[in-house]
Amino acid sequence: MKNKTRITVFGLFLCSILFYACQKEMSGNIKGTINPDQPHPITIYLTDHQTPVFDSVFIDLRGVEVKLEDDTLSNGGWVKLIIHPGVYNILRFRNGLDTLFATGSLPNERIRKIKLIVGTQNRAMKNGQQYPLRVKDEDREVIANVEPGNFEITSNGTILFW
């Protein structure tokens, strides 16, 4: 039962990274100024929202990939990004705080999914007590759908994602 709770909490925090994070104001793409089928640089920032449950949540982030609509690309449309792998206390990045997490270049702006690859050094802290968050090997990839509008495209074509 404890493992199910830990996995559930772990999954909720990873999902919060993607969807329930501090919302950044979207400027959007100005119609006709940027070709959606040309290469776009991408920058991903790590952020989270406040939780009263834990004092710290440490997530071992090992990789991130973006899936594009175009499955003719190598690897089924998945594009690996350059990351700063490590163990992040995701609760440090809230109330408007974030950190640069991944960068790269995408052949187009047709993002459909994002995949986080986690390692084994995951844990949560509450009142000085450490709780390991164990993840099965087959559950080390968290994939989330990305709807258009969940990311910002700047006037120079850079894709920003929090």
Side-chain angles (χ1 to χ4, degrees):
M1 186 64 171
K2 283 186 179 182
N3 284 340
K4 285 184 181 180
T5 302
R6 289 178 183 161
I7 290 172
T8 300
V9 168
F10 181 71
L12 288 173
F13 279 109
L14 284 178
C15 287
S16 72
I17 290 171
L18 298 174
F19 294 108
Y20 302 111
C22 300
Q23 295 295 314
K24 304 291 181 179
E25 189 172 316
M26 302 292 199
S27 64
N29 185 354
I30 302 167
K31 287 276 188 208
T33 60
I34 300 168
N35 184 342
D37 295 317
Q38 288 186 346
H40 291 270
I42 183 169
T43 304
I44 297 179
Y45 295 92
L46 186 63
T47 189
D48 195 11
H49 70 283
Q50 199 164 353
T51 175
V53 179
F54 295 106
D55 300 325
S56 300
V57 176
F58 297 95
I59 305 296
D60 185 5
L61 297 170
R62 298 283 118 205
V64 65
E65 296 180 18
V66 175
K67 181 165 180 30
L68 301 175
E69 186 176 86
D70 186 359
D71 286 343
T72 63
L73 297 171
S74 63
N75 200 19
W78 288 100
V79 177
K80 285 186 179 188
L81 300 180
I82 301 166
I83 71 159
H84 302 288
V87 178
Y88 290 84
N89 179 1
I90 61 172
L91 296 186
R92 286 186 53 216
F93 308 114
R94 57 183 174 208
N95 299 327
L97 295 177
D98 57 32
T99 187
L100 177 64
F101 175 60
T103 58
S105 180
L106 301 177
N108 61 57
E109 68 178 42
R110 300 182 197 292
I111 299 171
R112 294 299 166 245
K113 297 180 184 205
I114 188 165
K115 178 189 329 181
L116 290 175
I117 302 158
V118 297
T120 59
Q121 303 301 313
N122 306 295
R123 63 192 184 282
M125 299 281 291
K126 178 69 174 173
N127 298 326
Q129 180 70 31
Q130 183 171 295
Y131 301 93
L133 300 172
R134 292 185 179 90
V135 182
K136 295 178 183 177
D137 286 339
E138 61 269 13
D139 293 331
R140 293 194 194 247
E141 294 181 352
V142 178
I143 299 173
N145 292 326
V146 177
E147 297 295 321
N150 282 355
F151 51 90
E152 178 180 345
I153 301 176
T154 65
S155 60
N156 67 356
T158 300
I159 298 170
L160 302 175
F161 188 83
W162 283 267

